[in-house]
């Protein structure tokens, strides 16, 4: 017996649980403005999230998947993306999309049950929300193929949950990205749960990062509660993608501090102790503590920041609530570039339909 | 005896049969501790343990594929797909293997699985939670497709499906999960597969429907009765193989037929029923068979989905049309 | 000008359009150096290079999924599935994404892909090489389904499919790949989608078919002509959206209709055509619409597969039946 | 950055290309009778294979996938299986099935286009031939689940090609086997080609064995031209499965010394030099040389062995050619346990059908 291949999985963290610096900070993190910007975004995301849950509870929003406690993952990712890159989200995200120019009101529209929430008015190319778990990494690989064919120095970023990493499509996407050397970064937001199924039951792999080994490229595990680490590793992976057409898998380790969605009840399966332990690692307080320790932030500033975020969210909510529904014909009018004649009669039937009693 | 919902009837049937048959294995995403996202498997883990009630990793093709393997070993997997919109990754396993193992091996290996999934729209869920693509399965030789529309039929038909020696696609109308309640004795009595249920006897027109559309169909029959039109109402229940004889006998009597389904119109199961009536019943038709169906569109998101769904009013109009045909 | 086969017409169309439109990317298993297992992509690698003619790893869901991603970037992927029986792993990507991207984003992103696959039985290939499940795609809103049945239509319809701004499932009857040859000018002229082609004008009965069954259908029409029965023969060509108007106009003229398809009978596309005729054409029908179809069975392995396929004789018998109906 | 996981892929070989012993032989290989048995099986397989190709060329068999040059893979695997284990094949195999009691005539029936080739008269439980690439490892995982639920000390063996290892199903099967700790052995017969696509284009992974890392268990690369190594590693993996419910992935490195099937023409894409180089490693000559070097085998014995194999194959061919076709009703009679009444009419139509002219 001889050993013919060896592999390692690295782990990255800059700010630990106690907000102590445990590794030399990357360049961007030495700029207070950049850190403050990330902090404000995380506060905005958390504020918005709480509001969305409240809207759902009062019947003003549909089923909604919270990002509470996962702010660093999405804010860090979004911050690392270049404008010319393309983002392929799943369904759980605010922080990235926000930085892509998606309006909070669009976000609400989507979860309010309106396709226009996918129009992403500020962006032409990003993919819409994707519900079928694990299916969207293939779209990212396809876009990356287009970039490569056209010799564009652009990268694609896509994100999946830990549950999503069990789907065959996830693996097929990694495999083709490795085989074709595609400029794509696969993020797994490992929040430890896929609805009620814990990460430990999802796979026997010790890390999700090591799944990249099956596809012949490198995977890294990153502290997903450390926004500096997220921002840094995603940026590095995107750069490697743009410059060397090398794919990367990044496992961002975080925790889902809420029910899976508002339709879920995590008390049925989640040990309360675990959530409490995990809360000590959560990303917003961690960065705030660091900023305060370094005299970059005060309680007063924090209060103002929260107020500003609350105001911004309120405005979005008002805009959302005042958005009139789409016209009925929208049900037919985006199916094809031009609606085939055979469906015209059905479209007429629709337009003549009374508002049903149970509506 | 407390009345139970369709959802509770599913749970009751699963619990009953698992108690009787140790070969039954329930598996799927979130079916164990969580009892399923709709709670259809609630309590089974406690009663039957984690060997027999199994959360799977998140992978639908896998769920179907391992069920097939288990079934050939004499186990009876009852696998849940969380929503019908997530069954597609498993279609290859279902169409190319589950439906064919018996035929491929000339009966040496068999595949007695039940693939359960909530289906249909109208519960204000996100995209992909609203599918009704039963026609795809109905087109596939080797499968059975069963859809209950009341708590009693859910109980009796699920028991029958589990006991059936061949693969069954068992689709549960999520819109009816908690809609109405009924006393369903937990007596382990199965209802017959492969037959339609005549829910209401009538003389003027035959209404043929299944799944959640039975709600609007029965309501329409009520309304029509007030207008003096006597509608016979048939719940198809087993979509494949189709009990066309019961439908034909009814249409022979009434001379008129309206078929109602939620799925898109084109190549829906309604087309096949209509075609069969055309082939065998042309001589006794007093009016063209009408279909009242979902549109040939993607089910709109929650805000507009109610406009997708065929309405009681549309059924009544269709009946009025066939009544007035001359 | 040498006559070419249906297969060569496919290659000719691909080569023509790739020459004109640099956005076209051909991809699939064995499509590059090998030119496809049927040689449909023969010579494209040499002409257009390995960026545009790409062998993929062996994974069908991947082929569909990356095609979708590419298409949203303005490329025009023409992806080959080696046989229709291997398209099922890709159904999730096709149904849940390709068919829906435009609708989901209200037109912001679009998905102009062509998914090609040889389909149908009768070439003595192993299991899973004989499928004709066009009905599944025809049931899916947002898709087009196109099936050529002659070299000229293969050329013209493939060009049209590639130029279409929406996803097209393009199914090639493998039994006809090398069956007959025809002069097909390489002039880049597309044929229209969404319309039927009337291949033969007649007055007594309308024969509606598509794909490889056009062979038996046209032969039956010839034989019937000798018996003095004048059959109008329609090649549906675009299965979805269906040009029912052409079919109805023909049936209005002839008063009789026989629909022929290779797929299993239940919930096949023939059912929908028959149902539409029943709805709109009952008044001018002189006899029930008949379907001559494949059985509701799995296509048998090579030794018996010829018995699965509808025969010319069966078509003639069905026509005789509708002619004699009184 | 800290390294949080490390992995290695081992490689196993006992007899090298020149038939030299490069590692201490496993117990069974010290018994000449066992080696001679394996050798005879490999000769039988190669003889049968050549005959099958000839039958196809003369129109007496359908499309047929040769195992030429891959004899050690299948003979070694089959030899390692216990009778109570279950085997889940793909489409390319003779050597394993033969040892499961499948008759050569059944094998011919299958490739002659007759479902009865899947009846496997001597075996109740093995899976039939499986055409959809990569789909059958999930069946193996399901059977292994049944064994585990029933606390049976049995293992499942399944085999896929190098191409098949790119399918999502393959990965999903590995992942659930790892997660549930299933008694299953996944073999990849890496013959370097998936029709015309070379192994190098299939995946960027340096070995296929390392794909097991994604699922959290171990993978090994084995010289698939060394029947001793194959027999040894498959047996070891099966034992681990039976005794510890531990799955293993074994990559057996070999070469496809024929067109993909008789419908293929490898000269279109395969460099002739490569095949010539690879032929020097082929398994039959390798074992024969070893046996001869150790005075366990003579040219005379070899001649007799070939004659006996040829006779056995001829007998099978005669049996095959004399097998009458199935009755027509077999098309309907195995669809369901009991044919639903609604299909009775179609069955009647079938029975009345004339033999078509083109038949
Ligand atoms: C293919 C598919 N199967 C099932 C579902 C139902 N479902 C929605 S989210 C979810 C869990 C996803 O978990 P994970 O991937 O870890 O992402 P998270 O929600 O934790 O961010 C499931 C099973 C789905 N949307 N798609
Ligand atoms: C799902 C699926 N896709 C495509 C095919 C067509 N096909 C048959 S064999 C083959 C190549 C398989 O290569 P590999 O897995 O390496 O096995 P090998 O034939 O080399 O033993 C392909 C593409 C198929 N049978 N199944
Ligand atoms: Mg998760
Ligand atoms: Mg191979």
């Amino acid at each position: 017996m001889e050993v013919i291949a060896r592999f390692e999985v690295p782990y990255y963290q800059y700010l630990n649980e106690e907000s102590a610096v445990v590794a030399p900070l990357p360049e961007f993190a030495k700029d207070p403005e950049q850190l403050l910007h990330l902090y404000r975004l995380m506060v905005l995301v958390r504020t918005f999230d709480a509001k969305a849950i409240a809207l759902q509870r009062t019947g003003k929003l549909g089923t909604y998947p919270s990002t509470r406690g996962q702010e660093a993952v999405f804010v860090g990712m979004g911050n690392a993306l270049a404008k010319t890159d393309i983002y392929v989200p799943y369904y759980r995200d605010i922080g990235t999309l926000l930085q892509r120019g998606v309006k909070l009101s669009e976000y609400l529209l989507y979860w309010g049950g309106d396709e226009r929430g996918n129009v992403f008015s500020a962006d032409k190319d990003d993919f819409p929300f994707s519900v079928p778990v694990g299916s969207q990494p293939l779209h990212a690989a396809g876009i990356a193929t287009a970039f490569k064919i056209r010799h564009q120095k652009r990268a694609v970023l896509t994100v999946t949950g830990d549950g999503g990493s069990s789907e065959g499509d996830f693996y097929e996407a990694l495999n083709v990205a490795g085989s074709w050397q595609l400029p794509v970064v696969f993020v797994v937001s490992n929040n430890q749960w896929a609805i009620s199924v814990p990460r430990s039951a999802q796979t026997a792999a010790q890390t999700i990062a090591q799944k990249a080994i099956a596809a012949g490229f490198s995977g890294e595990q990153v502290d997903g509660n450390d926004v500096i680490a997220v921002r840094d590793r995603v940026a590095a992976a995107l750069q490697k993608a743009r410059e060397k057409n090398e794919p990367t898998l990044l496992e961002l380790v975080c925790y889902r501090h809420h029910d899976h969605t508002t339709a879920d009840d995590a008390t049925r399966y989640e040990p309360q102790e675990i959530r409490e332990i995990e809360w000590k690692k959560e990303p917003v307080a961690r960065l705030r503590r660091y900023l305060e320790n370094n005299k970059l932030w005060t309680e007063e500033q924090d209060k103002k920041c929260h107020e500003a975020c609350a105001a911004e969210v309120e405005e979005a909510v008002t805009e959302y609530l005042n958005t009139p529904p789409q016209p009925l014909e929208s049900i037919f009018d985006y199916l094809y570039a031009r609606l085939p004649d055979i469906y015209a009669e059905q479209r007429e039937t629709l337009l003549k339909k009374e508002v049903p009693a149970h509506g | 005896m407390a009345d139970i919902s369709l959802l509770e009837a599913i749970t009751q049937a699963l619990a009953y049969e698992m108690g009787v048959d140790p070969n039954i294995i329930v598996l799927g995403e979130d079916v164990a501790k969580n009892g399923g996202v709709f709670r259809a498997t609630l309590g089974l883990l406690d009663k039957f343990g984690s060997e027999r009630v199994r959360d799977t990793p998140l992978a639908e093709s896998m769920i179907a594929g391992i069920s097939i393997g288990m079934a050939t070993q004499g186990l009876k997997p009852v696998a849940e797909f969380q929503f019908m919109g997530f069954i597609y990754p498993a279609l290859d396993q279902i169409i190319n293997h589950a439906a064919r193992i018996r035929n491929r091996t000339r009966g040496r290996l068999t595949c007695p699985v039940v693939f359960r999934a909530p289906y249909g729209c109208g519960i204000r869920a996100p995209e992909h939670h609203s599918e009704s693509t039963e026609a795809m399965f109905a087109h596939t030789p080797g499968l059975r497709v069963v859809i209950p529309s009341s708590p009693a039929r859910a109980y009796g038909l699920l028991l029958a499906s589990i006991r059936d020696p061949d693969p069954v696609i068992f689709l549960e109308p999520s819109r009816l999960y908690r809609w109405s309640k009924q006393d369903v004795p937990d007596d382990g009595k199965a209802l017959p597969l492969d037959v339609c249920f005549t829910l209401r006897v009538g003389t003027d027109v035959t209404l043929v429907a299944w799944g959640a559309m039975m709600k609007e169909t029965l309501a329409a029959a009520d309304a029509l009765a007030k207008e003096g039109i006597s509608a016979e109402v048939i719940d198809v229940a087993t979509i494949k193989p189709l009990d066309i004889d019961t439908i034909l006998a009814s249409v022979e009597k009434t001379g008129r037929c309206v078929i109602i389904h939620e799925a898109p119109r084109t190549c829906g199961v309604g087309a096949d029923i209509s075609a069969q009536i055309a082939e065998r019943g042309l001589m006794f038709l007093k009016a063209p068979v009408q279909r009242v169906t979902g549109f040939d569109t993607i089910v709109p998101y929650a805000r507009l989905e109610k406009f997708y769904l065929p309405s009681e009013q549309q059924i009544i109009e269709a009946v009025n049309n066939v009544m007035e045909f001359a």
Side-chain angles (χ1 to χ4, degrees), chain A, chain B:
Chain A
M1 193 268 280
E2 125 198 50
V3 171
I4 51 163
R6 291 195 162 80
F7 307 95
E8 291 184 344
V9 178
Y11 175 78
Y12 288 88
Q13 185 189 54
Y14 294 101
L15 283 194
N16 75 6
E17 242 178 279
E18 283 84 39
S19 307
V21 176
V22 294
L25 286 183
E27 231 17 72
F28 84 89
K30 295 174 186 159
D31 175 359
E33 264 321 305
Q34 295 214 38
L35 292 186
L36 291 174
H37 178 63
L38 291 173
Y39 179 74
R40 283 195 201 97
L41 281 170
M42 291 201 293
V43 171
L44 178 58
V45 165
R46 187 166 293 176
T47 309
F48 174 81
D49 189 72
K51 184 70 195 182
I53 294 166
L55 286 173
Q56 191 280 333
R57 300 290 189 227
T58 53
K60 296 193 181 106
L61 199 69
T63 301
Y64 169 82
S66 167
T67 65
R68 180 174 161 79
Q70 293 183 235
E71 294 82 1
V73 164
F74 301 109
V75 166
M77 270 178 13
N79 200 247
L81 272 169
K83 205 170 163 27
T84 50
D85 293 337
I86 288 188
Y87 178 52
V88 180
Y90 70 144
Y91 47 83
R92 190 188 302 283
D93 181 15
I94 313 168
T96 320
L97 290 172
L98 199 60
Q99 295 174 81
R100 303 298 286 172
V102 174
K103 299 198 302 187
L104 291 177
S105 57
E106 286 180 291
Y107 201 83
L108 290 169
L109 266 182
Y110 179 78
W111 293 109
D114 189 316
E115 287 84 351
R116 288 171 301 180
N118 276 323
V119 173
F120 293 5
S121 44
D123 184 285
K124 291 270 157 298
D125 283 336
D126 282 349
F127 255 57
F129 292 98
S130 181
V131 171
V133 166
S135 62
Q136 74 284 356
L138 283 171
H139 308 153
I143 300 167
T145 306
F147 288 172
K148 191 165 181 191
I149 288 175
R150 290 173 166 161
H151 304 285
Q152 296 174 324
K153 287 232 167 300
R154 302 166 70 185
V156 189
L157 177 71
T158 188
V159 57
T160 317
D162 44 316
S165 75
S166 294
E167 288 278 6
D169 275 9
F170 174 79
Y171 167 76
E172 292 186 5
L174 263 60
N175 194 55
V176 72
S179 176
W180 288 5
Q181 287 293 287
L182 298 177
V184 54
V185 177
F186 300 99
V187 164
V188 170
S189 171
N190 174 5
N191 64 8
Q192 313 300 334
W193 294 97
I195 308 186
S196 72
V197 178
R199 154 67 185 83
S200 58
Q202 203 60 244
T203 178
Q206 177 181 349
T207 67
I208 290 179
Q210 77 202 49
K211 291 182 184 276
I213 296 169
F217 56 87
S218 59
E220 302 176 0
Q221 202 183 61
V222 179
D223 183 346
N225 286 314
D226 174 5
V227 71
I228 297 176
V230 173
R231 163 71 170 78
D232 176 59
R233 298 321 300 159
V234 176
L238 286 168
Q239 194 176 345
K240 196 170 63 166
R242 283 183 220 112
E243 292 180 3
K244 300 200 283 182
N245 281 321
E246 258 186 55
T248 311
L249 172 62
L250 298 176
E251 174 187 2
L252 309 184
V253 181
C254 55
Y255 198 83
R256 196 192 74 200
H257 286 285
H258 195 265
D259 300 330
H260 166 69
T261 65
T262 51
D264 179 45
D265 172 11
T267 61
R268 297 183 51 75
Y269 54 79
E270 184 191 13
Q272 187 56 31
E273 324 81 76
I274 297 189
R275 193 185 289 186
E276 277 160 24
I277 293 168
E278 289 290 337
W279 187 248
K280 296 191 182 119
K281 307 181 196 162
E282 69 92 6
V284 181
R286 186 184 303 196
L287 184 57
R288 179 176 165 186
R289 214 180 302 120
Y290 174 79
L291 295 171
E292 288 175 350
N293 291 351
N294 288 277
K295 308 277 179 273
L296 296 168
W297 194 244
T298 63
E299 181 147 1
E300 178 60 16
Q301 283 175 302
D302 205 61
K303 209 176 138 229
K304 285 221 178 106
C305 170
H306 275 88
E307 284 164 9
C309 289
E312 189 171 342
V313 167
E314 274 317 318
E315 209 174 305
V317 170
T318 307
E319 191 178 333
Y320 159 64
L321 293 175
N322 290 331
T323 309
Q326 299 176 92
L328 284 194
E329 53 267 37
S330 69
I331 294 174
F332 276 93
D333 290 354
Y334 299 100
L335 258 186
Y336 297 92
R338 194 190 140 275
L339 189 70
D341 297 337
I342 187 177
Y343 304 123
E345 201 179 308
Q346 290 189 21
R347 190 171 176 276
E348 288 309 307
T349 306
L350 168 66
L351 296 183
K352 283 189 311 223
K353 234 168 151 165
E354 291 174 31
V355 183
H358 58 280
Chain B
M1 185 123 282
D3 286 355
I4 62 174
S5 66
L6 194 155
L7 184 63
E8 289 160 332
I10 299 284
T11 317
Q12 180 171 299
L14 288 171
Y16 181 93
E17 199 65 4
M18 287 187 85
V20 169
D21 182 351
N23 286 314
I24 296 169
I25 306 293
V26 164
L27 70 161
E29 294 156 12
D30 305 289
V31 298
K33 214 165 190 180
N34 202 31
V37 291
F38 282 106
R39 310 288 177 258
T41 54
L42 196 71
L44 299 181
L45 176 68
D46 289 344
K47 279 203 202 93
F48 303 105
S50 58
E51 286 284 8
R52 296 185 57 201
V53 183
R54 307 175 77 97
D55 278 340
T56 63
L58 210 176
E60 287 75 13
S61 187
M62 183 270 287
I63 292 172
I66 63 170
S67 295
I68 292 166
M70 286 191 260
T72 60
Q73 277 299 303
L75 293 178
K76 291 218 151 204
V78 181
E80 175 175 305
F81 294 94
Q82 209 150 69
F83 285 89
M84 193 180 197
F86 308 133
I87 213 173
Y88 303 133
L91 282 186
D92 182 52
Q93 287 290 345
I94 296 173
I95 297 173
N96 272 343
H97 289 301
R100 290 166 170 247
I101 291 276
R102 178 189 289 278
N103 188 69
R104 181 177 303 149
T105 61
R106 310 278 85 175
R108 176 170 64 90
L109 297 178
T110 63
C111 193
V113 306
V114 178
F115 293 126
R116 296 178 43 241
Y119 94 108
C121 74
I123 57 165
R124 304 183 65 85
E127 194 181 342
H128 305 290
H129 293 69
S130 310
E131 327 303 304
S132 37
T133 39
E134 65 273 17
M136 291 189 182
F137 298 102
H139 188 51
T140 304
L143 297 180
R144 270 195 169 69
V145 182
V146 177
I147 302 181
S149 70
S150 75
R153 284 189 296 283
Y155 181 79
L157 291 172
L158 182 52
L159 286 179
S161 297
I162 297 174
R163 293 171 192 170
D164 191 80
D166 289 305
V168 177
I169 311 293
F170 192 86
L171 300 173
E172 301 163 10
S174 53
R175 193 157 63 91
L176 300 192
Y177 261 157
R178 300 187 170 91
W179 173 55
S180 79
K181 298 206 169 198
Q182 202 176 0
D183 175 22
V184 183
D186 193 12
D187 54 10
K189 287 215 183 102
L191 285 168
L193 297 179
D194 305 1
V195 299
C196 296
F197 296 91
T198 302
L199 302 188
R200 184 179 176 124
V201 175
T203 51
D204 296 330
V205 59
T206 303
L207 304 184
V208 179
W210 56 92
M213 288 313 301
M214 289 314 307
K215 181 166 173 253
E216 284 74 17
T217 302
L218 287 166
D222 276 344
L224 288 164
K226 288 185 197 128
E227 293 177 31
I229 297 172
S230 161
E232 182 139 311
V233 177
I234 292 177
D235 177 2
V236 175
T238 298
I239 305 298
K240 180 189 190 72
L242 186 80
D243 170 16
I244 191 68
D245 290 346
T246 296
I247 295 171
L248 278 177
S250 174
V251 177
E252 177 160 13
K253 178 174 68 173
T254 62
R256 298 177 183 90
C257 182
V258 174
I259 304 163
I260 301 103
H261 65 69
E262 183 176 324
R265 183 180 197 80
T266 298
C267 290
V269 174
D272 200 73
I273 297 173
S274 174
Q276 291 201 51
I277 296 174
E279 277 151 16
R280 310 178 188 216
L282 190 67
M283 38 296 174
F284 45 71
L285 275 184
K286 297 181 189 142
V289 173
Q290 296 283 309
R291 287 179 288 167
V292 179
T293 69
F295 296 118
D296 280 311
T297 67
I298 291 148
V299 179
Y301 288 8
R303 272 192 171 191
L304 296 184
E305 79 178 315
K306 55 180 177 266
F307 293 99
Y308 172 87
L309 219 47
S311 65
E312 182 187 325
Q313 193 50 41
Q314 281 174 286
I315 300 169
I316 292 171
E317 276 164 28
V319 170
N320 286 333
N321 282 345
V322 298
M323 293 306 296
E324 282 158 25
F325 185 86

